[in-house]
Amino acid sequence: MPLPSFFMRDEPLISHSFWLRDHCHCPECYHSVTKQRLVNTFKIPRDIKPKSVTLSSTGLDVIWDHENHKSHYPYSWLNKHSYDPKITDPYLPEGAPKITWDNSIASNLPEVAYKDVMDSDKGLAEWLNNIHIYGFSFVSGVPVTTEATEELAKRISFIRETHYGGFWDFTSDLGHGDTAYTDLALGAHTDTTYFTDPVGLQMFHLLHHDGEGGHNLMVDGFHCAKILKERHPSSYKTLSEIGIPAHSAGDPSTHIIPSPRRNPILNHDPVTRDLVQVRFNNDDRSTMDHLEPEQIDAFYNALFDWNKVLTDEKNLLWTKFQPGRVLIFDNWRCLHGRSAFTGKRRMCGAYTNWDDYRSRWRTLNTSAEQLAEDL
C-alpha cells in the first residue's frame, strides 16, 4: 500500500504526525482487553515528528522524537483508517445490503427455527441477519409459554425496561393507558416515538385467542420512504426536517416526552444522508404549535402523502399470529399495526435496545480481529 503522505512533506504544527502518534495501539497506549485508550493525548507534543520510519513485513514501525516511543501500525489498520490518501470509505454501511419489500414478500417470509436460535450462535446469527436485511423475522416452533418467549428475547440481549415493565404478558384490559391494551384496530406505526431513544426491536408472541380478527400488519418504512422520495420529493424533505412532538401520558404517574422535544419522521445519517430511522405514530403526536404559518400546509400535505404510501395495499403485509410462532422486528424501520378483534387475546413480548441488538449482531457476524481493527 502507499506510504501515508504525511511522511512525504513538511507538516504544520497541528500535524498528521500528531494524529498518528495519538492513535498508537501499543500496550502502553491501548488496552488490548478493554479496547480503551491509555495514551494521554494532552502530553504528546503538538510538534511531534518521527525519528525513523521502517516498513516491515506486517506494517509501519515508527520511532518518535518524543521519549523515543515505538509504534507499530499494521498495513491493514492503515488501509482501513488512512485519510491521506483515503483508501477505504469510512461511511460504508455495515453488513449485507438491506432488502426493502412490499406485500409480495408474503410468499417467502424470513423465518428461523426456535431450536436453531437457542442451540447455536449460528442460528442466532441467522435470526439477527434476517432482521438486519429485511427488518423482521419469524421464529417457528417456540414453546407456547412466557418463560420460553422471554428466554428467546434474552438470546439477543437483556430486555429493555420501560413504563410498561420489562417482559410483557398482557390482554386487552387497558392495563396501561395505551390503545395497544384494547381490542381496537391500530394503524401502521412505530413504538416509543416519545422516547429520546426509541426502542430498537419489538417481539410479539400470541399465547391464546378465542375470538376473531387481530391480524398483524407490517409495513417496511424504508420501502415506503423510498416511494415517497420518488413520487413526492418535497414531502420527503418536509418530513425529514419538521420535528414532531410526541408524548406518553396515559398512566397517572407517566408523562414522557423526548429530548429534543421534536423529532422528524424520517431521520438520516448527518454525513451520508442515508435514512436510518423512521419515527412515526400519529396517535402519539402532541400539538403542532411550533410551526410557522407557512409550514402548516406543507406539513399536512407531506403527512397525507406519507399516509397514502403507508396505506397502499401493495405495501401492507398482513399475517395471522399463531401460538408457537414469534415475530420480531426493527422498530426503527418497520411499522406495525393490527385489525380489531373479538374475544380474549393474550400476548407476550419484549423490547430490546437498538445498540444492544446491533452489538450482538456485529459480534456474531464479524471476527473479533476485524472488530478490533475497526476501532
Side-chain angles (χ1 to χ4, degrees):
M1 64 163 286
L3 191 66
S5 61
F6 46 75
F7 284 114
M8 305 298 191
R9 60 177 186 264
D10 293 333
E11 299 299 328
L13 184 62
I14 301 176
S15 66
H16 300 285
S17 294
F18 186 92
W19 177 91
L20 197 64
R21 173 63 187 89
D22 185 49
H23 286 86
C24 178
H25 279 195
C26 80
E28 292 179 32
C29 297
Y30 194 81
H31 199 292
S32 62
V33 175
T34 70
K35 307 296 187 292
Q36 291 174 293
R37 294 164 50 83
L38 301 175
V39 63
N40 187 337
T41 299
F42 309 103
K43 289 190 175 180
I44 302 172
R46 296 294 292 275
D47 58 351
I48 193 169
K49 289 182 175 60
K51 284 178 65 177
S52 68
V53 179
T54 306
L55 298 176
S56 71
S57 60
T58 59
L60 202 64
D61 293 311
V62 180
I63 298 177
W64 299 99
D65 65 358
H66 179 246
E67 299 179 343
N68 286 319
H69 185 83
K70 297 179 181 179
S71 300
H72 177 75
Y73 304 95
Y75 292 128
S76 57
W77 185 91
L78 289 168
N79 184 74
K80 175 76 178 178
H81 298 288
S82 173
Y83 59 87
D84 186 12
K86 191 176 293 295
I87 301 169
T88 302
D89 183 356
Y91 300 108
L92 285 174
E94 291 184 293
K98 291 178 170 58
I99 297 175
T100 58
W101 47 265
D102 58 19
N103 62 12
S104 63
I105 199 174
S107 62
N108 189 25
L109 295 170
E111 189 158 357
V112 295
Y114 171 79
K115 188 176 186 304
D116 292 342
V117 172
M118 299 305 292
D119 289 354
S120 73
D121 282 350
K122 180 181 178 182
L124 178 58
E126 182 184 358
W127 186 31
L128 297 184
N129 257 328
N130 280 347
I131 302 168
H132 167 75
I133 294 170
Y134 301 103
F136 75 102
S137 182
F138 287 95
V139 184
S140 58
V142 182
V144 187
T145 66
T146 55
E147 293 80 8
T149 312
E150 184 172 2
E151 287 306 308
L152 177 63
K154 288 179 177 177
R155 276 291 279 153
I156 301 174
S157 178
F158 62 87
I159 291 170
R160 176 163 172 174
E161 295 264 355
T162 69
H163 54 308
Y164 302 118
F167 184 80
W168 336 299
D169 180 0
F170 66 97
T171 62
S172 54
D173 61 356
L174 265 178
H176 287 281
D178 191 286
T179 49
Y181 292 82
T182 70
D183 56 10
L184 302 173
L186 299 176
H189 64 282
T190 63
D191 269 21
T192 63
T193 58
Y194 41 75
F195 282 161
T196 302
D197 172 28
V199 299
L201 301 181
Q202 185 166 4
M203 175 188 284
F204 284 127
H205 188 190
L206 175 70
L207 301 176
H208 171 80
H209 186 201
D210 60 10
E212 300 295 328
H215 287 75
N216 178 61
L217 171 64
M218 292 281 292
V219 180
D220 186 349
F222 284 11
H223 176 69
C224 290
K226 183 164 58 176
I227 293 173
L228 182 71
K229 191 173 187 178
E230 291 169 354
R231 296 180 182 172
H232 308 285
S234 62
S235 291
Y236 185 96
K237 184 174 186 291
T238 295
L239 297 185
S240 301
E241 295 176 349
I242 289 182
I244 312 295
H247 64 271
S248 178
D251 290 339
S253 59
T254 299
H255 191 95
I256 298 173
I257 58 175
S259 178
R261 181 70 178 91
R262 301 165 186 88
N263 297 275
I265 291 173
L266 305 176
N267 294 274
H268 300 78
D269 183 290
V271 176
T272 66
R273 302 307 302 163
D274 291 337
L275 180 65
V276 295
Q277 183 192 71
V278 175
R279 187 175 181 137
F280 177 69
N281 188 337
N282 202 52
D283 294 351
D284 291 341
R285 176 159 54 86
S286 306
T287 305
M288 299 287 291
D289 56 5
H290 62 292
L291 300 181
E292 297 298 326
E294 61 272 14
Q295 292 180 302
I296 298 293
D297 281 344
F299 168 70
Y300 281 111
N301 289 342
L303 195 65
F304 271 69
D305 288 340
W306 174 241
N307 182 68
K308 186 174 182 179
V309 177
L310 286 184
T311 56
D312 186 328
E313 284 295 331
K314 295 178 188 175
N315 300 324
L316 308 184
L317 174 64
W318 288 99
T319 59
K320 179 68 173 174
F321 280 135
Q322 300 170 355
R325 193 183 193 212
V326 163
L327 170 66
I328 190 165
F329 55 89
D330 174 354
N331 184 59
W332 285 24
R333 171 179 171 180
C334 289
L335 297 87
H336 67 286
R338 70 169 183 233
S339 63
F341 63 91
T342 62
K344 183 176 181 180
R345 192 171 90 145
R346 183 184 174 199
M347 301 280 293
C348 67
Y351 287 140
T352 303
N353 279 324
W354 172 263
D355 290 332
D356 296 306
Y357 145 59
R358 295 302 291 173
S359 171
R360 192 75 159 123
W361 169 81
R362 206 171 283 121
T363 57
L364 287 168
N365 288 281
T366 310
S367 70
E369 293 77 16
Q370 184 61 55
L371 289 175
E373 193 168 86
D374 287 347
L375 300 176

PDB file of all heavy atoms in Angstrom, residues 299-325:
ATOM      1  N   PHE A 299     -46.644  20.811   5.893  1.00  0.00           N
ATOM      2  CA  PHE A 299     -46.609  19.665   6.788  1.00  0.00           C
ATOM      3  C   PHE A 299     -47.769  18.718   6.526  1.00  0.00           C
ATOM      4  O   PHE A 299     -47.577  17.504   6.367  1.00  0.00           O
ATOM      5  CB  PHE A 299     -46.632  20.124   8.251  1.00  0.00           C
ATOM      6  CG  PHE A 299     -46.880  19.000   9.218  1.00  0.00           C
ATOM      7  CD1 PHE A 299     -45.917  18.033   9.434  1.00  0.00           C
ATOM      8  CD2 PHE A 299     -48.101  18.889   9.880  1.00  0.00           C
ATOM      9  CE1 PHE A 299     -46.160  16.971  10.299  1.00  0.00           C
ATOM     10  CE2 PHE A 299     -48.348  17.838  10.744  1.00  0.00           C
ATOM     11  CZ  PHE A 299     -47.371  16.871  10.961  1.00  0.00           C
ATOM     12  N   TYR A 300     -48.981  19.244   6.482  1.00  0.00           N
ATOM     13  CA  TYR A 300     -50.127  18.359   6.291  1.00  0.00           C
ATOM     14  C   TYR A 300     -50.154  17.730   4.896  1.00  0.00           C
ATOM     15  O   TYR A 300     -50.562  16.571   4.731  1.00  0.00           O
ATOM     16  CB  TYR A 300     -51.434  19.101   6.584  1.00  0.00           C
ATOM     17  CG  TYR A 300     -51.692  19.213   8.071  1.00  0.00           C
ATOM     18  CD1 TYR A 300     -51.627  20.447   8.721  1.00  0.00           C
ATOM     19  CD2 TYR A 300     -51.984  18.083   8.831  1.00  0.00           C
ATOM     20  CE1 TYR A 300     -51.857  20.549  10.091  1.00  0.00           C
ATOM     21  CE2 TYR A 300     -52.215  18.165  10.193  1.00  0.00           C
ATOM     22  CZ  TYR A 300     -52.149  19.412  10.824  1.00  0.00           C
ATOM     23  OH  TYR A 300     -52.363  19.499  12.177  1.00  0.00           O
ATOM     24  N   ASN A 301     -49.704  18.456   3.896  1.00  0.00           N
ATOM     25  CA  ASN A 301     -49.593  17.867   2.562  1.00  0.00           C
ATOM     26  C   ASN A 301     -48.627  16.677   2.584  1.00  0.00           C
ATOM     27  O   ASN A 301     -48.905  15.619   2.012  1.00  0.00           O
ATOM     28  CB  ASN A 301     -49.109  18.902   1.547  1.00  0.00           C
ATOM     29  CG  ASN A 301     -50.163  19.947   1.222  1.00  0.00           C
ATOM     30  OD1 ASN A 301     -51.344  19.740   1.471  1.00  0.00           O
ATOM     31  ND2 ASN A 301     -49.728  21.068   0.678  1.00  0.00           N
ATOM     32  N   ALA A 302     -47.491  16.878   3.243  1.00  0.00           N
ATOM     33  CA  ALA A 302     -46.496  15.805   3.335  1.00  0.00           C
ATOM     34  C   ALA A 302     -47.028  14.631   4.147  1.00  0.00           C
ATOM     35  O   ALA A 302     -46.812  13.460   3.790  1.00  0.00           O
ATOM     36  CB  ALA A 302     -45.210  16.340   3.966  1.00  0.00           C
ATOM     37  N   LEU A 303     -47.746  14.932   5.222  1.00  0.00           N
ATOM     38  CA  LEU A 303     -48.302  13.873   6.065  1.00  0.00           C
ATOM     39  C   LEU A 303     -49.325  13.042   5.289  1.00  0.00           C
ATOM     40  O   LEU A 303     -49.356  11.805   5.391  1.00  0.00           O
ATOM     41  CB  LEU A 303     -48.945  14.485   7.312  1.00  0.00           C
ATOM     42  CG  LEU A 303     -49.266  13.519   8.459  1.00  0.00           C
ATOM     43  CD1 LEU A 303     -47.989  12.925   9.038  1.00  0.00           C
ATOM     44  CD2 LEU A 303     -50.052  14.237   9.550  1.00  0.00           C
ATOM     45  N   PHE A 304     -50.145  13.705   4.497  1.00  0.00           N
ATOM     46  CA  PHE A 304     -51.130  12.984   3.690  1.00  0.00           C
ATOM     47  C   PHE A 304     -50.447  12.142   2.606  1.00  0.00           C
ATOM     48  O   PHE A 304     -50.875  11.012   2.324  1.00  0.00           O
ATOM     49  CB  PHE A 304     -52.127  13.969   3.070  1.00  0.00           C
ATOM     50  CG  PHE A 304     -53.315  14.250   3.945  1.00  0.00           C
ATOM     51  CD1 PHE A 304     -53.181  14.976   5.125  1.00  0.00           C
ATOM     52  CD2 PHE A 304     -54.582  13.781   3.597  1.00  0.00           C
ATOM     53  CE1 PHE A 304     -54.262  15.240   5.938  1.00  0.00           C
ATOM     54  CE2 PHE A 304     -55.680  14.034   4.413  1.00  0.00           C
ATOM     55  CZ  PHE A 304     -55.522  14.761   5.587  1.00  0.00           C
ATOM     56  N   ASP A 305     -49.388  12.676   2.010  1.00  0.00           N
ATOM     57  CA  ASP A 305     -48.647  11.901   1.011  1.00  0.00           C
ATOM     58  C   ASP A 305     -48.032  10.656   1.649  1.00  0.00           C
ATOM     59  O   ASP A 305     -48.047   9.565   1.072  1.00  0.00           O
ATOM     60  CB  ASP A 305     -47.547  12.751   0.382  1.00  0.00           C
ATOM     61  CG  ASP A 305     -48.088  13.814  -0.565  1.00  0.00           C
ATOM     62  OD1 ASP A 305     -49.243  13.659  -1.034  1.00  0.00           O
ATOM     63  OD2 ASP A 305     -47.371  14.802  -0.822  1.00  0.00           O
ATOM     64  N   TRP A 306     -47.480  10.820   2.835  1.00  0.00           N
ATOM     65  CA  TRP A 306     -46.882   9.709   3.586  1.00  0.00           C
ATOM     66  C   TRP A 306     -47.943   8.659   3.923  1.00  0.00           C
ATOM     67  O   TRP A 306     -47.744   7.455   3.719  1.00  0.00           O
ATOM     68  CB  TRP A 306     -46.224  10.252   4.839  1.00  0.00           C
ATOM     69  CG  TRP A 306     -45.675   9.288   5.836  1.00  0.00           C
ATOM     70  CD1 TRP A 306     -46.057   9.146   7.135  1.00  0.00           C
ATOM     71  CD2 TRP A 306     -44.592   8.365   5.652  1.00  0.00           C
ATOM     72  NE1 TRP A 306     -45.298   8.189   7.766  1.00  0.00           N
ATOM     73  CE2 TRP A 306     -44.386   7.691   6.872  1.00  0.00           C
ATOM     74  CE3 TRP A 306     -43.780   8.030   4.570  1.00  0.00           C
ATOM     75  CZ2 TRP A 306     -43.413   6.719   7.050  1.00  0.00           C
ATOM     76  CZ3 TRP A 306     -42.804   7.045   4.741  1.00  0.00           C
ATOM     77  CH2 TRP A 306     -42.627   6.399   5.958  1.00  0.00           C
ATOM     78  N   ASN A 307     -49.072   9.114   4.388  1.00  0.00           N
ATOM     79  CA  ASN A 307     -50.137   8.183   4.754  1.00  0.00           C
ATOM     80  C   ASN A 307     -50.650   7.414   3.536  1.00  0.00           C
ATOM     81  O   ASN A 307     -50.980   6.221   3.634  1.00  0.00           O
ATOM     82  CB  ASN A 307     -51.290   8.942   5.405  1.00  0.00           C
ATOM     83  CG  ASN A 307     -52.411   8.026   5.846  1.00  0.00           C
ATOM     84  OD1 ASN A 307     -52.263   7.229   6.765  1.00  0.00           O
ATOM     85  ND2 ASN A 307     -53.551   8.113   5.174  1.00  0.00           N
ATOM     86  N   LYS A 308     -50.698   8.079   2.393  1.00  0.00           N
ATOM     87  CA  LYS A 308     -51.166   7.409   1.183  1.00  0.00           C
ATOM     88  C   LYS A 308     -50.246   6.260   0.809  1.00  0.00           C
ATOM     89  O   LYS A 308     -50.708   5.182   0.387  1.00  0.00           O
ATOM     90  CB  LYS A 308     -51.251   8.423   0.034  1.00  0.00           C
ATOM     91  CG  LYS A 308     -51.874   7.852  -1.235  1.00  0.00           C
ATOM     92  CD  LYS A 308     -52.062   8.929  -2.290  1.00  0.00           C
ATOM     93  CE  LYS A 308     -52.723   8.361  -3.545  1.00  0.00           C
ATOM     94  NZ  LYS A 308     -52.926   9.400  -4.580  1.00  0.00           N
ATOM     95  N   VAL A 309     -48.947   6.472   0.964  1.00  0.00           N
ATOM     96  CA  VAL A 309     -47.995   5.399   0.669  1.00  0.00           C
ATOM     97  C   VAL A 309     -48.106   4.295   1.716  1.00  0.00           C
ATOM     98  O   VAL A 309     -48.125   3.098   1.384  1.00  0.00           O
ATOM     99  CB  VAL A 309     -46.551   5.947   0.612  1.00  0.00           C
ATOM    100  CG1 VAL A 309     -45.561   4.814   0.389  1.00  0.00           C
ATOM    101  CG2 VAL A 309     -46.413   6.991  -0.485  1.00  0.00           C
ATOM    102  N   LEU A 310     -48.193   4.676   2.985  1.00  0.00           N
ATOM    103  CA  LEU A 310     -48.262   3.693   4.075  1.00  0.00           C
ATOM    104  C   LEU A 310     -49.484   2.796   3.968  1.00  0.00           C
ATOM    105  O   LEU A 310     -49.451   1.639   4.404  1.00  0.00           O
ATOM    106  CB  LEU A 310     -48.286   4.388   5.433  1.00  0.00           C
ATOM    107  CG  LEU A 310     -47.013   5.004   5.983  1.00  0.00           C
ATOM    108  CD1 LEU A 310     -47.256   5.538   7.380  1.00  0.00           C
ATOM    109  CD2 LEU A 310     -45.872   3.992   6.009  1.00  0.00           C
ATOM    110  N   THR A 311     -50.574   3.325   3.448  1.00  0.00           N
ATOM    111  CA  THR A 311     -51.829   2.568   3.413  1.00  0.00           C
ATOM    112  C   THR A 311     -52.119   1.944   2.051  1.00  0.00           C
ATOM    113  O   THR A 311     -53.174   1.343   1.856  1.00  0.00           O
ATOM    114  CB  THR A 311     -53.010   3.474   3.820  1.00  0.00           C
ATOM    115  OG1 THR A 311     -53.055   4.627   2.965  1.00  0.00           O
ATOM    116  CG2 THR A 311     -52.862   3.935   5.265  1.00  0.00           C
ATOM    117  N   ASP A 312     -51.194   2.072   1.118  1.00  0.00           N
ATOM    118  CA  ASP A 312     -51.339   1.434  -0.187  1.00  0.00           C
ATOM    119  C   ASP A 312     -51.319  -0.083   0.023  1.00  0.00           C
ATOM    120  O   ASP A 312     -50.398  -0.628   0.636  1.00  0.00           O
ATOM    121  CB  ASP A 312     -50.183   1.857  -1.096  1.00  0.00           C
ATOM    122  CG  ASP A 312     -50.337   1.362  -2.523  1.00  0.00           C
ATOM    123  OD1 ASP A 312     -50.916   0.274  -2.725  1.00  0.00           O
ATOM    124  OD2 ASP A 312     -49.861   2.059  -3.439  1.00  0.00           O
ATOM    125  N   GLU A 313     -52.317  -0.772  -0.500  1.00  0.00           N
ATOM    126  CA  GLU A 313     -52.440  -2.218  -0.291  1.00  0.00           C
ATOM    127  C   GLU A 313     -51.177  -2.977  -0.688  1.00  0.00           C
ATOM    128  O   GLU A 313     -50.842  -4.000  -0.081  1.00  0.00           O
ATOM    129  CB  GLU A 313     -53.637  -2.763  -1.082  1.00  0.00           C
ATOM    130  CG  GLU A 313     -54.988  -2.451  -0.477  1.00  0.00           C
ATOM    131  CD  GLU A 313     -55.194  -3.141   0.874  1.00  0.00           C
ATOM    132  OE1 GLU A 313     -54.604  -4.227   1.099  1.00  0.00           O
ATOM    133  OE2 GLU A 313     -55.928  -2.587   1.709  1.00  0.00           O
ATOM    134  N   LYS A 314     -50.458  -2.487  -1.690  1.00  0.00           N
ATOM    135  CA  LYS A 314     -49.232  -3.163  -2.123  1.00  0.00           C
ATOM    136  C   LYS A 314     -48.188  -3.222  -1.015  1.00  0.00           C
ATOM    137  O   LYS A 314     -47.326  -4.100  -1.013  1.00  0.00           O
ATOM    138  CB  LYS A 314     -48.628  -2.430  -3.324  1.00  0.00           C
ATOM    139  CG  LYS A 314     -49.467  -2.451  -4.579  1.00  0.00           C
ATOM    140  CD  LYS A 314     -48.757  -1.653  -5.661  1.00  0.00           C
ATOM    141  CE  LYS A 314     -49.640  -1.481  -6.894  1.00  0.00           C
ATOM    142  NZ  LYS A 314     -48.988  -0.605  -7.899  1.00  0.00           N
ATOM    143  N   ASN A 315     -48.255  -2.261  -0.098  1.00  0.00           N
ATOM    144  CA  ASN A 315     -47.219  -2.158   0.927  1.00  0.00           C
ATOM    145  C   ASN A 315     -47.618  -2.796   2.255  1.00  0.00           C
ATOM    146  O   ASN A 315     -46.826  -2.783   3.197  1.00  0.00           O
ATOM    147  CB  ASN A 315     -46.871  -0.681   1.155  1.00  0.00           C
ATOM    148  CG  ASN A 315     -46.357  -0.025  -0.103  1.00  0.00           C
ATOM    149  OD1 ASN A 315     -45.648  -0.649  -0.894  1.00  0.00           O
ATOM    150  ND2 ASN A 315     -46.716   1.238  -0.325  1.00  0.00           N
ATOM    151  N   LEU A 316     -48.825  -3.348   2.329  1.00  0.00           N
ATOM    152  CA  LEU A 316     -49.333  -3.892   3.589  1.00  0.00           C
ATOM    153  C   LEU A 316     -49.121  -5.400   3.644  1.00  0.00           C
ATOM    154  O   LEU A 316     -49.673  -6.146   2.835  1.00  0.00           O
ATOM    155  CB  LEU A 316     -50.824  -3.581   3.745  1.00  0.00           C
ATOM    156  CG  LEU A 316     -51.247  -2.119   3.578  1.00  0.00           C
ATOM    157  CD1 LEU A 316     -52.742  -1.982   3.862  1.00  0.00           C
ATOM    158  CD2 LEU A 316     -50.441  -1.208   4.493  1.00  0.00           C
ATOM    159  N   LEU A 317     -48.323  -5.841   4.588  1.00  0.00           N
ATOM    160  CA  LEU A 317     -48.116  -7.269   4.819  1.00  0.00           C
ATOM    161  C   LEU A 317     -48.980  -7.697   5.995  1.00  0.00           C
ATOM    162  O   LEU A 317     -48.712  -7.339   7.142  1.00  0.00           O
ATOM    163  CB  LEU A 317     -46.635  -7.555   5.110  1.00  0.00           C
ATOM    164  CG  LEU A 317     -46.308  -9.001   5.508  1.00  0.00           C
ATOM    165  CD1 LEU A 317     -46.609  -9.967   4.353  1.00  0.00           C
ATOM    166  CD2 LEU A 317     -44.854  -9.124   5.954  1.00  0.00           C
ATOM    167  N   TRP A 318     -50.033  -8.461   5.702  1.00  0.00           N
ATOM    168  CA  TRP A 318     -50.937  -8.955   6.744  1.00  0.00           C
ATOM    169  C   TRP A 318     -50.613 -10.417   7.031  1.00  0.00           C
ATOM    170  O   TRP A 318     -50.507 -11.239   6.122  1.00  0.00           O
ATOM    171  CB  TRP A 318     -52.396  -8.844   6.318  1.00  0.00           C
ATOM    172  CG  TRP A 318     -52.920  -7.436   6.291  1.00  0.00           C
ATOM    173  CD1 TRP A 318     -53.051  -6.631   5.202  1.00  0.00           C
ATOM    174  CD2 TRP A 318     -53.392  -6.677   7.411  1.00  0.00           C
ATOM    175  NE1 TRP A 318     -53.577  -5.410   5.561  1.00  0.00           N
ATOM    176  CE2 TRP A 318     -53.800  -5.412   6.916  1.00  0.00           C
ATOM    177  CE3 TRP A 318     -53.517  -6.935   8.786  1.00  0.00           C
ATOM    178  CZ2 TRP A 318     -54.310  -4.414   7.731  1.00  0.00           C
ATOM    179  CZ3 TRP A 318     -54.033  -5.952   9.606  1.00  0.00           C
ATOM    180  CH2 TRP A 318     -54.423  -4.707   9.085  1.00  0.00           C
ATOM    181  N   THR A 319     -50.432 -10.726   8.300  1.00  0.00           N
ATOM    182  CA  THR A 319     -50.236 -12.106   8.722  1.00  0.00           C
ATOM    183  C   THR A 319     -51.132 -12.366   9.929  1.00  0.00           C
ATOM    184  O   THR A 319     -51.661 -11.428  10.533  1.00  0.00           O
ATOM    185  CB  THR A 319     -48.771 -12.392   9.112  1.00  0.00           C
ATOM    186  OG1 THR A 319     -48.383 -11.522  10.186  1.00  0.00           O
ATOM    187  CG2 THR A 319     -47.830 -12.183   7.928  1.00  0.00           C
ATOM    188  N   LYS A 320     -51.295 -13.630  10.255  1.00  0.00           N
ATOM    189  CA  LYS A 320     -52.107 -14.008  11.401  1.00  0.00           C
ATOM    190  C   LYS A 320     -51.194 -14.586  12.475  1.00  0.00           C
ATOM    191  O   LYS A 320     -50.460 -15.544  12.224  1.00  0.00           O
ATOM    192  CB  LYS A 320     -53.157 -15.051  10.992  1.00  0.00           C
ATOM    193  CG  LYS A 320     -54.061 -15.534  12.117  1.00  0.00           C
ATOM    194  CD  LYS A 320     -54.985 -14.452  12.619  1.00  0.00           C
ATOM    195  CE  LYS A 320     -55.987 -15.015  13.633  1.00  0.00           C
ATOM    196  NZ  LYS A 320     -56.805 -13.960  14.251  1.00  0.00           N
ATOM    197  N   PHE A 321     -51.204 -13.969  13.649  1.00  0.00           N
ATOM    198  CA  PHE A 321     -50.427 -14.508  14.755  1.00  0.00           C
ATOM    199  C   PHE A 321     -50.891 -15.923  15.079  1.00  0.00           C
ATOM    200  O   PHE A 321     -52.096 -16.222  15.064  1.00  0.00           O
ATOM    201  CB  PHE A 321     -50.575 -13.635  15.997  1.00  0.00           C
ATOM    202  CG  PHE A 321     -49.709 -12.405  15.992  1.00  0.00           C
ATOM    203  CD1 PHE A 321     -50.236 -11.174  16.360  1.00  0.00           C
ATOM    204  CD2 PHE A 321     -48.371 -12.468  15.644  1.00  0.00           C
ATOM    205  CE1 PHE A 321     -49.450 -10.044  16.376  1.00  0.00           C
ATOM    206  CE2 PHE A 321     -47.569 -11.341  15.654  1.00  0.00           C
ATOM    207  CZ  PHE A 321     -48.112 -10.120  16.019  1.00  0.00           C
ATOM    208  N   GLN A 322     -49.931 -16.773  15.403  1.00  0.00           N
ATOM    209  CA  GLN A 322     -50.233 -18.144  15.803  1.00  0.00           C
ATOM    210  C   GLN A 322     -49.421 -18.495  17.036  1.00  0.00           C
ATOM    211  O   GLN A 322     -48.227 -18.157  17.110  1.00  0.00           O
ATOM    212  CB  GLN A 322     -49.882 -19.121  14.676  1.00  0.00           C
ATOM    213  CG  GLN A 322     -50.606 -18.901  13.372  1.00  0.00           C
ATOM    214  CD  GLN A 322     -50.033 -19.739  12.247  1.00  0.00           C
ATOM    215  OE1 GLN A 322     -49.028 -20.419  12.407  1.00  0.00           O
ATOM    216  NE2 GLN A 322     -50.676 -19.677  11.091  1.00  0.00           N
ATOM    217  N   PRO A 323     -50.017 -19.168  17.997  1.00  0.00           N
ATOM    218  CA  PRO A 323     -49.233 -19.650  19.143  1.00  0.00           C
ATOM    219  C   PRO A 323     -48.075 -20.518  18.657  1.00  0.00           C
ATOM    220  O   PRO A 323     -48.250 -21.376  17.779  1.00  0.00           O
ATOM    221  CB  PRO A 323     -50.255 -20.463  19.953  1.00  0.00           C
ATOM    222  CG  PRO A 323     -51.573 -19.865  19.591  1.00  0.00           C
ATOM    223  CD  PRO A 323     -51.459 -19.488  18.144  1.00  0.00           C
ATOM    224  N   GLY A 324     -46.899 -20.273  19.185  1.00  0.00           N
ATOM    225  CA  GLY A 324     -45.714 -21.022  18.772  1.00  0.00           C
ATOM    226  C   GLY A 324     -44.900 -20.356  17.683  1.00  0.00           C
ATOM    227  O   GLY A 324     -43.832 -20.855  17.312  1.00  0.00           O
ATOM    228  N   ARG A 325     -45.383 -19.220  17.169  1.00  0.00           N
ATOM    229  CA  ARG A 325     -44.658 -18.503  16.116  1.00  0.00           C
ATOM    230  C   ARG A 325     -44.455 -17.056  16.553  1.00  0.00           C
ATOM    231  O   ARG A 325     -45.415 -16.285  16.649  1.00  0.00           O
ATOM    232  CB  ARG A 325     -45.433 -18.562  14.809  1.00  0.00           C
ATOM    233  CG  ARG A 325     -44.627 -18.136  13.594  1.00  0.00           C
ATOM    234  CD  ARG A 325     -45.504 -18.146  12.356  1.00  0.00           C
ATOM    235  NE  ARG A 325     -44.733 -18.041  11.128  1.00  0.00           N
ATOM    236  CZ  ARG A 325     -45.166 -17.443  10.033  1.00  0.00           C
ATOM    237  NH1 ARG A 325     -46.378 -16.882  10.013  1.00  0.00           N
ATOM    238  NH2 ARG A 325     -44.420 -17.389   8.961  1.00  0.00           N
TER     239      ARG A 325
END
